[in-house]
């Protein structure tokens, strides 16, 4: 799907590599994000999410490969005119009020939203005339969010937008993001929280160590991720384990087997039935990465007997 | 609104800075002192002293440097500068009949209305272009002068002690050649020193003096005599001298002298000002403190007025001198006003005003005293167009506030000086100082007293001029502001020479040009007091061009504009001296980083 | 300049001024220090009144140097550290707007600082000059901020926030003292004097001294050439350091 204003996909990255010294922050990312909708970049710290966004914004020059934003080279003036951003570590001038900060940012764009519209969208009228340094952490993030949308951008990057927000503020932000998405604005956000990705995104991209390790529509992920991780030593083989009740994926790690299950009780009951001598049993909620590794492994498991 | 902040700030800053810029002080524009000389100048409704008599409430018109008309209700053209002279007095430019033209004589005297100086001995080198200069009617900052040039004296006699090269003579046979060489050099008249019988200095003998008078008259010039006793004066009168440039103050003038003076029609320039100084009366210091005088005195002039002759000289009774003036004047002897500047207790210009007052104190009327300071000198010395206010005379004029016929103080209060039809800028321009130097180091004294360029530093004192001052110099460490070394001077300034000094000086091996530099800069500290910088050309004429400065106990930078050394030729620089003096005393001081900049 | 850039410039310059005005603890000392120093050197110290005119030329350069160096050196480093500069670079704001508005605020600020020095000079220290000399000296001194602005930019792009404060202060002191802005360089030992030749502050002061018709010989053409060359060099350095921090 192409952006309705620019007739371009939002992002196309080809074999994108970024190295900082010996660290490969991005290690060959190939990605296309079509216009419209909300895409969540999921991953732990250091996975490469922020580096990817910085490359897309033109703040960081890639070491290799290519990234195009709305059909332009990243950082190109035309791309920036249609882009809004909320960065992870970016404080605004301390001595300006929210209103002044927004007015200033609006002046950079050819067709910005009215100040009043932004204050309304972000529900921040009550603190818009307070100097930035006197705001709470959450209020500061909301001003930053307001700056990201004031320019009526076609593409918005939100890097960890809800970190430090209370639930009310988070709700307001989610609501605004959804409203914008309804107007066919492309939104790319990074998050640690599966719930946030689940609540907002149409598409989830999982990154680990500079690579994309999973990329799927949210609906698919909602179906497949979750449940519990059962870890034990058993004599039952993978093929048989995979057929057990509620099992999503099976993975061997040394002498252990890791079974990702949508319903731990049901799966465990079935497993104990066929192997009463299983040992070293632990059950835990899987980390995001494990969940997505599970996701990918299950896919592998289906094709790999 | 952010835009409003910007435009408010810009407006406020522009208005504020603009207001400051428009109200910052600028030099007072001197509209009144500039005018188009071709259009001329009209002084209206002023009381005029024409050199002889008074023309009250007249108009005087000046065109092209000369007086064009005198009358009542004269028509003035529109572009003519008009001065309202109501309540003021117009005098002819004053003539000082006895000065010595050295240093800043011509500028200093002009500021006080003396438009013509009669020099009674200076370096003959100054006379070369003088005749043409004094005939000019161009705008000038200089007074005109006539000169005796090289005076007639014996080897070692009066006149040889000032350091000016001088051709002496000792026998009547030399007189003819000597006089013709003076006329050749440009002397306008001859002055001889005849002071027999006093043991301080040898003198020409009477026969030689008489021969000089005869030869002078034979070759068509006047001969005047410097005497200090009535006996010497009588000798000279008997031998046919034209005038005396001092009045004796040793005895009361005798009837015999008066009658021979009248028969021989001599004139006398009493120089009461210098007699007052020799007699230690302090009247000059008092005169110098009058604001209408003091404002226009350079530091050098003020210094000179506050000096007396060191120790005084016996044989001068000031009251006797005034009484002699009164009796000679009453007997009809021509009295001319002269100051003998720049001797101690006198200075150029101001001292002639003082002399006029002293003549009045002696018993002359103000009218006679002003006549003595103007037309009497012009007629005696045959100065065409000077000392009078007549149609066709030179427009050398002085406007004074008030009427001097009512009280004598009015003569000091000069309002305007006009020379060659131009109003003279009377205000002093103080030398500007700048603490900067960078090139052409003359001495940094880092490792010793050797200079940086081919220069050598030595001690200097006035012994070459017959003075008694001494100086010793040494190298000390450290120098100014952390530099490695400096020159230290131990100077003892003693009375002897009329402007005594002692200090350190540098000389170049050969003359050099410093025309590309603006100032001489150095650092100094030491015994607080007054010091001088003297600049030397390869030809020495009188007191070297100099400027004074103050020293304090802490290092300070002294910077002097080379242009402010009057009569110094920067293309012919041979050296300079940084000295203590002329006030007597013991001075220990240090000098460092002497540079031209 | 298209309307949108002009519009952005006006607002950003306004914002820069607001930030300045809302930090009186920074701007009042910076504003008052040059005139205070000038009053001390040209009025209060014994014998100094003779040099009031001379020092007006050098302290004027000093007055514009402070806002230029600190506004850009510390200001840019600080905004870089906060990530504010990143956000601006991600936005469509042209770099020229950022520089131009900071420059505008700096020039206005420097004008006021300079104006105060002039007030002290004219009404306290007895300096008297022709009107056109006052005005042209002011103009020259205001222009003298340009090389310092470029130097400040280079420092701001090259050093992290805390380091930038220290380095800018050091540069400020060296430029002032060794450039002869407080005390004429002639007072220094020759080795230190020769350092002055490499400082823009020294040459700018020379030009100001010439324009202000201060006494002494000022090699104005030579200083002008040196200043222009230095300004060109600093501009290149500023561009280089900007580009370098950008590509990291």
């Amino acid at each position: 799907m192409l952006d309705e204003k620019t007739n371009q996909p939002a992002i196309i990255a080809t074999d994108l590599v970024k190295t900082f010294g010996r660290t490969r922050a991005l290690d060959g990312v190939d990605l296309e994000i079509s216009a419209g909708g909300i895409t969540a970049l999921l991953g732990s710290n250091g996975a490469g999410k922020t580096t990817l966004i910085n490359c897309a914004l033109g703040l960081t020059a890639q070491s290799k490969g290519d990234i195009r934003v709305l059909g332009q080279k990243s950082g190109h003036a035309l791309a920036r005119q249609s882009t809004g951003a909320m960065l992870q570590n970016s404080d605004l001038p301390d001595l300006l009020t929210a209103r002044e900060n927004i007015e200033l940012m609006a002046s950079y764009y050819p067709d910005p939203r009215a100040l009043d519209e932004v204050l309304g969208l972000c529900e921040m009228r009550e603190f818009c005339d307070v100097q930035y340094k006197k705001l709470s952490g959450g209020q500061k993030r909301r001003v930053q969010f307001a700056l990201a949308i004031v320019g009526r951008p076609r593409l918005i990057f939100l890097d960890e937008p809800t970190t430090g927000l209370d639930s009310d503020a988070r709700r307001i932000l989610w609501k605004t993001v959804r409203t914008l998405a309804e107007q066919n604005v492309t939104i790319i956000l990074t998050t640690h929280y599966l719930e946030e990705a689940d609540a907002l995104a149409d598409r989830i991209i999982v990154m680990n160590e500079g690579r994309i390790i999973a990329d799927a529509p949210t609906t698919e992920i909602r179906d497949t991720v979750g449940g519990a991780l059962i870890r034990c030593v058993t004599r039952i083989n993978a093929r048989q384990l995979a057929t057990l009740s509620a099992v999503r994926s099976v993975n061997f790690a040394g002498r252990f087997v890791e079974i990702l299950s949508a319903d731990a009780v049901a799966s465990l009951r079935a497993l104990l039935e066929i192997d009463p001598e299983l040992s070293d049993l632990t059950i835990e909620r899987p980390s995001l990465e494990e969940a997505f590794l599970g996701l990918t492994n299950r896919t592998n498991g289906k094709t790999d007997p | 609104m952010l835009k409003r902040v910007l435009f408010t700030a810009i407006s406020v800053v522009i208005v504020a800075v603009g207001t400051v810029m428009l109200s910052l002080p600028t030099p007072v524009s001197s509209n009144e002192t500039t005018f188009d000389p071709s259009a001329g100048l009209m002084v209206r409704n002023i009381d005029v002293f024409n050199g002889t008599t008074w023309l009250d409430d007249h108009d005087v018109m000046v065109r092209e440097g000369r007086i064009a008309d005198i009358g009542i209700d004269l028509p003035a053209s529109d572009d003519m500068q008009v001065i309202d002279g109501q309540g003021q007095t117009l005098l002819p430019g004053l003539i000082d009949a006895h000065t010595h033209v050295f240093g800043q004589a011509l500028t200093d005297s002009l500021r006080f209305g003396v438009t013509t100086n009669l020099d009674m001995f200076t370096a003959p080198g100054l006379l070369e272009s003088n005749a043409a200069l004094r005939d000019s009617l161009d705008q000038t900052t200089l007074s005109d002068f006539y000169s005796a040039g090289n005076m007639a004296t014996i080897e070692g006699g009066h006149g040889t002690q000032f350091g000016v090269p001088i051709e002496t003579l000792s026998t009547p046979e030399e007189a003819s050649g000597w006089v013709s060489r003076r006329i050749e050099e440009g002397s306008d008249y001859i002055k001889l020193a005849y002071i027999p019988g006093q043991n301080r200095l040898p003198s020409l003998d009477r026969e030689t003096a008489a021969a000089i008078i005869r030869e002078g008259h034979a070759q068509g010039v006047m001969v005047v005599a410097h005497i200090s006793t009535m006996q010497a004066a009588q000798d000279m009168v008997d031998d046919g001298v034209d005038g005396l440039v001092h009045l004796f103050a040793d005895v009361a003038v005798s009837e015999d002298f008066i009658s021979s003076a009248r028969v021989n029609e001599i004139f006398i320039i009493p120089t009461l000002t210098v007699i007052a100084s020799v007699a230690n009366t302090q009247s000059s210091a008092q005169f110098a403190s009058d604001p209408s005088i003091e404002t226009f005195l350079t530091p050098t002039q003020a210094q000179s007025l506050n000096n007396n002759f060191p120790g005084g000289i016996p044989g001068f009774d000031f009251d006797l001198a005034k009484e002699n003036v009164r009796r000679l004047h009453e007997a009809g002897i021509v009295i001319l006003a002269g100051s003998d500047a720049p001797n101690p207790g006198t200075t150029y210009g101001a001292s002639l005003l003082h002399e006029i007052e002293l003549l009045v104190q002696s018993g002359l009327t103000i009218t006679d005293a002003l006549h003595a300071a103007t037309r009497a000198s012009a007629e005696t010395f045959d100065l065409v167009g000077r000392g009078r206010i007549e149609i066709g005379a030179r427009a050398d004029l002085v406007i004074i506030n008030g009427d001097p016929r009512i009280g004598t103080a009015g003569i000091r209060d000069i309002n305007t000086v006009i020379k060659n039809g131009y109003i003279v800028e009377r205000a002093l321009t103080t030398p500007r100082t700048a603490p900067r130097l960078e090139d052409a180091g003359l001495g940094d004294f880092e490792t010793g007293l050797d200079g940086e360029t081919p220069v050598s530093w030595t001690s200097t004192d006035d012994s070459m001029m017959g003075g008694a001052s001494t100086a010793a110099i040494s190298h000390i460490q450290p120098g100014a502001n952390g530099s490695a070394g400096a020159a230290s001077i131990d100077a003892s300034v003693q009375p002897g020479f009329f402007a005594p000094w002692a200090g350190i000086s540098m000389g170049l091996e050969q003359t050099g040009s410093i025309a590309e530099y603006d100032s001489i800069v150095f650092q100094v500290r030491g015994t607080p007091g007054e010091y001088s910088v003297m600049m030397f050309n390869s030809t020495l004429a009188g007191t070297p061009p100099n400027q004074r400065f103050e020293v304090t106990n802490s290092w300070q930078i002294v910077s002097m504009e080379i242009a402010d050394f009057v009569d110094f030729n920067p293309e012919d620089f041979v050296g300079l001296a940084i000295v203590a003096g002329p006030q007597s005393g013991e001075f220990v001081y240090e000098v460092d980083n002497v540079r031209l900049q | 300049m298209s309307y949108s850039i002009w519009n952005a410039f006006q607002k950003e310059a306004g914002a820069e001024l607001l930030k300045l005005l809302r930090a009186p603890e920074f701007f009042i000392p910076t504003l008052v220090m040059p005139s205070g120093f000038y009053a001390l050197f040209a009025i209060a110290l014994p014998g100094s009144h003779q040099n009031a005119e001379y020092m007006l030329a050098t302290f004027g350069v000093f007055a514009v140097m402070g806002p230029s160096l600190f506004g850009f050196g510390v200001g840019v480093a600080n905004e870089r550290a906060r990530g504010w500069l990143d956000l601006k670079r991600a936005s469509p704001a042209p770099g020229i707007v950022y520089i131009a508005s900071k420059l505008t605020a700096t020039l206005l600020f420097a004008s006021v600082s300079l104006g105060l020095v002039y007030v002290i000079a004219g009404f306290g220290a007895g300096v008297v000059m022709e009107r056109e000399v006052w005005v042209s000296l002011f103009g020259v001194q205001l222009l003298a901020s340009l090389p310092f602005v470029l130097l400040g930019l280079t420092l701001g792009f090259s050093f992290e926030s805390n380091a930038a404060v220290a380095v800018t202060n050091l540069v400020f002191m060296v430029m002032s003292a060794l450039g002869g802005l407080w005390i004429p360089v002639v007072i220094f030992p020759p080795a230190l004097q020769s350092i002055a030749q490499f400082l823009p502050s020294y040459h700018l002061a020379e030009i100001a001294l010439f324009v202000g018709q201060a006494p002494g010989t000022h090699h104005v053409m030579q200083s002008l050439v040196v200043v222009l060359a230095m300004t060109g060099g600093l501009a290149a350095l500023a561009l280089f350091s900007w580009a370098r921090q950008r590509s990291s």
Side-chain angles (χ1 to χ4, degrees), chain B residues 182-209:
Chain B
R182 296 296 77 75
I183 294 171
E184 179 76 10
E185 274 174 356
S187 293
D188 297 293
Y189 38 85
I190 300 294
K191 176 197 176 185
L192 62 83
Y194 178 66
I195 43 173
Q198 58 121 298
N199 48 22
R200 283 176 70 241
L201 293 166
S203 170
L204 291 172
D205 59 26
R206 184 166 175 185
E207 288 68 33
T208 309

Short mmCIF file of all heavy atoms in Angstrom, two decimals, chain B residues 182-209:
data_model
loop_
_atom_site.label_atom_id
_atom_site.label_comp_id
_atom_site.label_asym_id
_atom_site.label_seq_id
_atom_site.Cartn_x
_atom_site.Cartn_y
_atom_site.Cartn_z
N ARG B 182 76.42 88.01 10.14
CA ARG B 182 75.08 87.96 10.77
C ARG B 182 74.02 88.38 9.77
O ARG B 182 72.97 87.75 9.66
CB ARG B 182 75.03 88.90 12.00
CG ARG B 182 75.96 88.52 13.15
CD ARG B 182 75.65 87.19 13.81
NE ARG B 182 76.08 86.03 13.06
CZ ARG B 182 77.34 85.60 12.96
NH1 ARG B 182 78.31 86.24 13.55
NH2 ARG B 182 77.62 84.52 12.25
N ILE B 183 74.33 89.44 9.03
CA ILE B 183 73.35 89.92 8.06
C ILE B 183 73.13 88.85 6.99
O ILE B 183 72.00 88.58 6.56
CB ILE B 183 73.81 91.26 7.46
CG1 ILE B 183 73.80 92.32 8.58
CG2 ILE B 183 72.94 91.69 6.29
CD1 ILE B 183 74.44 93.63 8.21
N GLU B 184 74.23 88.20 6.60
CA GLU B 184 74.16 87.08 5.65
C GLU B 184 73.24 85.97 6.17
O GLU B 184 72.42 85.41 5.45
CB GLU B 184 75.59 86.55 5.44
CG GLU B 184 75.69 85.38 4.49
CD GLU B 184 75.56 85.84 3.04
OE1 GLU B 184 75.57 87.06 2.77
OE2 GLU B 184 75.43 84.94 2.19
N GLU B 185 73.36 85.67 7.44
CA GLU B 185 72.56 84.59 8.06
C GLU B 185 71.09 84.94 8.19
O GLU B 185 70.25 84.06 8.39
CB GLU B 185 73.08 84.29 9.48
CG GLU B 185 74.21 83.31 9.55
CD GLU B 185 74.77 83.18 10.96
OE1 GLU B 185 74.33 83.91 11.87
OE2 GLU B 185 75.66 82.34 11.14
N GLY B 186 70.79 86.25 8.16
CA GLY B 186 69.39 86.62 8.28
C GLY B 186 69.06 87.38 9.55
O GLY B 186 67.89 87.61 9.85
N SER B 187 70.04 87.77 10.32
CA SER B 187 69.76 88.58 11.51
C SER B 187 69.12 89.89 11.08
O SER B 187 69.59 90.54 10.14
CB SER B 187 71.05 88.87 12.27
OG SER B 187 71.56 87.67 12.82
N ASP B 188 68.03 90.29 11.76
CA ASP B 188 67.35 91.54 11.41
C ASP B 188 67.98 92.70 12.12
O ASP B 188 67.80 93.85 11.73
CB ASP B 188 65.87 91.42 11.80
CG ASP B 188 65.19 90.31 11.02
OD1 ASP B 188 65.05 90.45 9.80
OD2 ASP B 188 64.82 89.28 11.64
N TYR B 189 68.67 92.44 13.21
CA TYR B 189 69.36 93.47 13.98
C TYR B 189 70.43 92.75 14.77
O TYR B 189 70.46 91.51 14.80
CB TYR B 189 68.40 94.25 14.90
CG TYR B 189 67.34 93.37 15.52
CD1 TYR B 189 67.61 92.67 16.70
CD2 TYR B 189 66.09 93.22 14.91
CE1 TYR B 189 66.66 91.84 17.24
CE2 TYR B 189 65.14 92.39 15.46
CZ TYR B 189 65.41 91.70 16.63
OH TYR B 189 64.50 90.86 17.17
N ILE B 190 71.32 93.53 15.39
CA ILE B 190 72.45 92.93 16.11
C ILE B 190 72.23 93.14 17.60
O ILE B 190 71.84 94.22 18.05
CB ILE B 190 73.78 93.60 15.69
CG1 ILE B 190 74.01 93.42 14.19
CG2 ILE B 190 74.95 93.04 16.51
CD1 ILE B 190 74.24 92.01 13.73
N LYS B 191 72.48 92.06 18.35
CA LYS B 191 72.45 92.20 19.81
C LYS B 191 73.83 91.86 20.34
O LYS B 191 74.42 90.85 19.96
CB LYS B 191 71.42 91.25 20.40
CG LYS B 191 71.41 91.29 21.94
CD LYS B 191 70.71 90.08 22.54
CE LYS B 191 70.79 90.09 24.06
NZ LYS B 191 70.23 88.87 24.63
N LEU B 192 74.32 92.69 21.24
CA LEU B 192 75.60 92.37 21.86
C LEU B 192 75.42 92.31 23.37
O LEU B 192 74.50 92.93 23.93
CB LEU B 192 76.67 93.40 21.47
CG LEU B 192 76.49 94.85 21.87
CD1 LEU B 192 76.96 95.11 23.30
CD2 LEU B 192 77.28 95.73 20.90
N ALA B 193 76.29 91.51 24.00
CA ALA B 193 76.26 91.41 25.46
C ALA B 193 77.44 92.19 26.01
O ALA B 193 78.59 91.91 25.69
CB ALA B 193 76.34 89.94 25.89
N TYR B 194 77.13 93.21 26.83
CA TYR B 194 78.20 94.04 27.40
C TYR B 194 77.96 94.10 28.91
O TYR B 194 77.14 94.87 29.40
CB TYR B 194 78.17 95.44 26.77
CG TYR B 194 79.22 96.39 27.33
CD1 TYR B 194 80.58 96.14 27.13
CD2 TYR B 194 78.84 97.52 28.06
CE1 TYR B 194 81.53 96.99 27.66
CE2 TYR B 194 79.78 98.38 28.58
CZ TYR B 194 81.14 98.11 28.38
OH TYR B 194 82.06 98.95 28.91
N ILE B 195 78.70 93.21 29.62
CA ILE B 195 78.51 93.14 31.07
C ILE B 195 79.88 93.14 31.74
O ILE B 195 80.28 92.16 32.37
CB ILE B 195 77.69 91.90 31.48
CG1 ILE B 195 78.15 90.66 30.68
CG2 ILE B 195 76.21 92.11 31.26
CD1 ILE B 195 77.50 89.36 31.14
N PRO B 196 80.60 94.25 31.61
CA PRO B 196 81.97 94.28 32.12
C PRO B 196 81.98 94.30 33.65
O PRO B 196 81.01 94.70 34.29
CB PRO B 196 82.52 95.59 31.56
CG PRO B 196 81.31 96.47 31.44
CD PRO B 196 80.18 95.55 31.07
N GLY B 197 83.10 93.82 34.19
CA GLY B 197 83.34 94.00 35.60
C GLY B 197 82.58 93.07 36.51
O GLY B 197 82.62 93.21 37.71
N GLN B 198 81.88 92.13 35.96
CA GLN B 198 81.25 91.17 36.87
C GLN B 198 81.95 89.84 36.70
O GLN B 198 82.35 89.46 35.60
CB GLN B 198 79.73 91.09 36.66
CG GLN B 198 79.31 90.71 35.25
CD GLN B 198 78.49 89.46 35.25
OE1 GLN B 198 78.99 88.42 35.65
NE2 GLN B 198 77.25 89.57 34.83
N ASN B 199 82.14 89.11 37.79
CA ASN B 199 83.06 87.99 37.73
C ASN B 199 82.42 86.67 37.28
O ASN B 199 83.10 85.67 37.14
CB ASN B 199 83.74 87.81 39.09
CG ASN B 199 82.71 87.83 40.22
OD1 ASN B 199 81.55 87.57 39.96
ND2 ASN B 199 83.17 88.17 41.42
N ARG B 200 81.11 86.60 37.07
CA ARG B 200 80.50 85.33 36.69
C ARG B 200 80.91 84.92 35.28
O ARG B 200 81.23 83.79 35.02
CB ARG B 200 78.97 85.41 36.78
CG ARG B 200 78.46 85.33 38.21
CD ARG B 200 76.95 85.50 38.27
NE ARG B 200 76.25 84.36 37.70
CZ ARG B 200 75.44 84.44 36.67
NH1 ARG B 200 75.23 85.59 36.08
NH2 ARG B 200 74.83 83.37 36.22
N LEU B 201 80.84 85.86 34.36
CA LEU B 201 81.14 85.54 32.97
C LEU B 201 82.03 86.63 32.39
O LEU B 201 81.88 87.80 32.75
CB LEU B 201 79.84 85.48 32.16
CG LEU B 201 78.86 84.35 32.48
CD1 LEU B 201 77.51 84.64 31.85
CD2 LEU B 201 79.42 83.03 31.99
N PRO B 202 82.95 86.27 31.49
CA PRO B 202 83.73 87.32 30.80
C PRO B 202 82.85 88.09 29.84
O PRO B 202 81.77 87.63 29.48
CB PRO B 202 84.81 86.52 30.06
CG PRO B 202 84.23 85.15 29.88
CD PRO B 202 83.29 84.92 31.04
N SER B 203 83.30 89.25 29.43
CA SER B 203 82.49 90.11 28.57
C SER B 203 83.33 90.69 27.44
O SER B 203 84.56 90.79 27.55
CB SER B 203 81.88 91.24 29.40
OG SER B 203 81.30 92.20 28.53
N LEU B 204 82.64 91.07 26.40
CA LEU B 204 83.30 91.89 25.36
C LEU B 204 83.87 93.14 26.03
O LEU B 204 83.27 93.68 26.96
CB LEU B 204 82.26 92.33 24.31
CG LEU B 204 81.65 91.27 23.40
CD1 LEU B 204 80.52 91.91 22.59
CD2 LEU B 204 82.72 90.69 22.47
N ASP B 205 85.00 93.58 25.52
CA ASP B 205 85.47 94.85 26.05
C ASP B 205 84.76 95.99 25.33
O ASP B 205 84.08 95.79 24.33
CB ASP B 205 87.00 94.95 25.96
CG ASP B 205 87.48 94.82 24.53
OD1 ASP B 205 86.69 95.16 23.61
OD2 ASP B 205 88.63 94.38 24.33
N ARG B 206 84.92 97.20 25.89
CA ARG B 206 84.13 98.33 25.36
C ARG B 206 84.50 98.66 23.93
O ARG B 206 83.62 99.01 23.12
CB ARG B 206 84.33 99.55 26.27
CG ARG B 206 83.46 100.70 25.82
CD ARG B 206 83.37 101.79 26.84
NE ARG B 206 82.61 102.91 26.29
CZ ARG B 206 82.44 104.05 26.90
NH1 ARG B 206 82.97 104.25 28.10
NH2 ARG B 206 81.75 105.03 26.33
N GLU B 207 85.79 98.53 23.59
CA GLU B 207 86.22 98.87 22.24
C GLU B 207 85.57 97.95 21.21
O GLU B 207 85.11 98.39 20.17
CB GLU B 207 87.76 98.76 22.12
CG GLU B 207 88.53 99.85 22.83
CD GLU B 207 88.40 99.77 24.35
OE1 GLU B 207 88.30 98.62 24.88
OE2 GLU B 207 88.36 100.82 25.01
N THR B 208 85.53 96.67 21.55
CA THR B 208 84.92 95.71 20.61
C THR B 208 83.42 95.99 20.48
O THR B 208 82.86 95.99 19.38
CB THR B 208 85.16 94.27 21.08
OG1 THR B 208 86.55 94.11 21.33
CG2 THR B 208 84.71 93.27 20.03
N ALA B 209 82.77 96.25 21.63
CA ALA B 209 81.33 96.55 21.60
C ALA B 209 81.08 97.78 20.75
O ALA B 209 80.16 97.81 19.92
CB ALA B 209 80.81 96.74 23.02
#
